[in-house]
């Protein structure tokens, strides 16, 4: 369901897990297919977004990511696609969930 800011009284979300939207245009790689990026999460501090993709890669972008093919940092650890990413409540760690490799990786973030 689409909710307007008028009906929510102007509330601001403190987390986001969608892979679509005007603030996430740049997370999609060149020549990507519709489902290459499986997960995204914005840090509670709202300055970084992490993604997980079909290639087993976890990426970090400066948020918002409005330019196509934006610069990012890549992290490798999964041997298969990444199905979920989430920052902990204090943004100290990023947790990534693997698909076929069934791994849960915990990444320490830098302040």
């Amino acid at each position: 369901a689409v909710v307007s800011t008028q009906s929510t009284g102007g509330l601001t979300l403190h987390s986001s897990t969608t892979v679509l939207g005007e603030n996430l245009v740049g997370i999609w790689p060149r020549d990507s297919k519709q489902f290459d990026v499986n997960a995204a999460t914005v840090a509670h501090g709202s300055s970084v977004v992490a993604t997980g993709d079909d290639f087993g890669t976890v990426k970090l972008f400066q948020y918002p990511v409005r330019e196509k093919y934006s610069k990012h940092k890549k992290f490798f650890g999964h041997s298969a696609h990444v199905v979920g990413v989430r920052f902990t409540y204090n943004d100290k760690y990023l947790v990534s969930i693997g698909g076929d490799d069934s791994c849960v990786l915990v990444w320490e973030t830098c302040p």
Side-chain angles (χ1 to χ4, degrees), residues 76-97:
F76 301 96
H78 290 281
S79 63
H81 59 290
V82 178
V83 297
V85 289
R86 294 291 185 281
F87 285 99
T88 57
Y89 75 97
N90 59 2
D91 294 334
K92 187 172 181 177
Y93 299 98
L94 174 69
V95 179
S96 60
I97 314 293

Side-chain angles (χ1 to χ4, degrees), residues 88-111:
T88 57
Y89 75 97
N90 59 2
D91 294 334
K92 187 172 181 177
Y93 299 98
L94 174 69
V95 179
S96 60
I97 314 293
D100 289 340
D101 67 4
S102 301
C103 288
V104 175
L105 300 181
V106 179
W107 309 80
E108 187 172 11
T109 61
C110 295

